[in-house]
Amino acid sequence: LSSFRSIRPVPVGNMAMFTLVMATTAAAEPSGKMVALPNAGNITMPSINLGTCCGSDPTVGLAPWLAAGGVGIDTAFDYSDQLAIGKILQEPASPPRNSLFITTKVPAGFGNATDCYDPANLAQIAYNYVVEDVRELGVKFVDLALVHHPCGPGARAPSKDPDGVASNNALWKGMQMALKAGLTRAIGVSNYKMSDLQTLDMSQATPAVNQCRMGISSHDDETIAYSQSKGIAYESYDALKACPTSDKDVLSIATAHNVSVYQICLRWVLERGCIIAAGTGADPSTAGAYAKENLDIYGFALTSDELKTLNGKQQAL
């Protein structure tokens, strides 16, 4: 996840949500509360997880999320909130570790001057980041570890190889090292376009997840299709940032189901075979209500005509 939205206004009907969304393969059960990751031995992860970046404060939202029945938590080294999350998870009221699904990330292209630069060092750097993620979270292992952004064009971190291919493959080797060491149950990537995946060496391991921006008004169907063709669960964030909240068709569909437009945008992602990680903001007075609404998207389904209408809202990327 590269960015988070600001808290949205309360819509007509249900309370507002502050969310990130993840898509999975079309083979996954879109309306189920757990989905399988084919490239990770079919381990299952929740179809909705708590996002903890950029305005969604886990010191405010994690406890209410867990109390409302949420079990998935999405974080990253570069969110700088893992120590706080780990502290909350150690509290007596928190659920047992084996009931939770924790996703973390290593910075890579979102990192510092050394995080992409020299391919000779990057496998160990990636491995070391996963070790640190686990330490900060206060757990023995995480359930999913992602490379947060590819090296090369568009990366914040500089790289010796301009296209980033050697760097990305070295990082991927480090993720496999972390997997083999039992530091994580599954590994994947984030913000990888089809061209990035095509140059990634998958001879020893294929990503379980590819987390990218996806919402009704903006989605990369080419990368989604390619990811799914490789059994890679397509994980989407910014579903609400890309939610056309004033669109008359979206409003009409929300009215028909007696839900908020934001719930329609989330449900659309589920209907595309998706998993959601939803933030709950930084206001203690609303975090609990937002958590409950974020978890309450399984009681309705879009019709085929509604889905077709929403699929047609795509804007130019």
Side-chain angles (χ1 to χ4, degrees):
L1 177 65
S2 63
S3 63
F4 239 103
R5 286 77 65 198
S6 59
I7 295 295
R8 67 179 187 257
V10 177
V12 175
N14 291 2
M15 293 291 292
M17 295 167 289
F18 177 90
T19 68
L20 138 117
V21 178
M22 308 176 197
T24 63
T25 66
E29 177 59 44
S31 61
K33 294 184 179 181
M34 299 293 290
V35 295
L37 301 179
N39 292 339
N42 284 320
I43 68 169
T44 59
M45 69 180 294
S47 58
I48 185 162
N49 304 264
L50 178 68
T52 63
C53 176
C54 316
S56 181
D57 185 350
T59 66
V60 171
L62 180 52
W65 175 257
L66 297 173
V71 295
I73 304 164
D74 184 277
T75 185
F77 176 84
D78 39 313
Y79 294 171
S80 300
D81 61 11
Q82 295 187 140
L83 288 170
I85 290 171
K87 183 177 180 180
I88 294 169
L89 295 182
Q90 298 303 316
E91 294 177 358
S94 293
R97 170 66 182 93
N98 63 8
S99 71
L100 302 175
F101 191 99
I102 302 174
T103 299
T104 188
K105 308 173 191 75
V106 304
F110 281 153
N112 60 36
T114 63
D115 288 346
C116 276
Y117 189 69
D118 188 349
N121 301 326
L122 294 183
Q124 191 63 47
I125 285 175
Y127 178 87
N128 291 347
Y129 268 120
V130 181
V131 170
E132 178 62 13
D133 287 333
V134 169
R135 186 196 70 80
E136 290 186 357
L137 288 162
V139 295
K140 294 181 179 178
F141 63 90
V142 294
D143 298 285
L144 175 63
L146 306 176
V147 177
H148 207 170
H149 193 285
C151 301
R156 298 173 192 165
S159 180
K160 273 186 176 180
D161 57 315
D163 61 8
V165 172
S167 295
N168 291 332
N169 280 310
L171 288 165
W172 188 236
K173 287 180 181 177
M175 300 301 282
Q176 294 172 64
M177 289 164 54
L179 179 66
K180 290 177 181 177
L183 294 170
T184 180
R185 298 171 65 212
I187 54 175
V189 295
S190 179
N191 295 300
Y192 271 52
K193 295 184 180 299
M194 182 176 73
S195 58
D196 299 311
L197 292 171
Q198 289 175 327
T199 57
L200 190 66
D201 182 2
M202 303 184 194
S203 61
Q204 299 300 312
T206 302
V209 168
N210 181 23
Q211 183 189 89
C212 301
R213 186 174 192 266
M214 177 190 175
I216 286 175
S217 65
S218 181
H219 42 98
D220 182 356
D221 290 335
E222 182 179 62
T223 300
I224 293 171
Y226 185 81
S227 296
Q228 293 177 345
S229 76
K230 298 294 184 181
I232 302 169
Y234 192 84
E235 178 180 356
S236 169
Y237 63 84
D238 271 359
L240 295 195
K241 187 174 182 180
C243 180
T245 57
S246 60
D247 183 275
K248 64 180 180 62
D249 293 325
V250 179
L251 288 166
S252 177
I253 293 170
T255 299
H257 291 282
N258 193 31
V259 298
S260 72
V261 292
Y262 305 103
Q263 285 177 301
I264 292 298
C265 287
L266 295 178
R267 184 65 202 187
W268 172 82
V269 181
L270 286 183
E271 299 281 355
R272 293 290 300 259
C274 305
I275 300 168
I276 301 166
T280 53
D283 185 346
S285 70
T286 56
Y290 290 178
K292 290 176 182 178
E293 186 183 12
N294 290 352
L295 289 161
D296 187 20
I297 54 172
Y298 301 101
F300 69 99
L302 301 172
T303 68
S304 58
D305 286 343
E306 290 169 342
L307 186 59
K308 182 178 180 180
T309 295
L310 296 175
N311 286 340
K313 300 298 177 181
Q314 166 83 318
Q315 299 174 356
L317 292 174

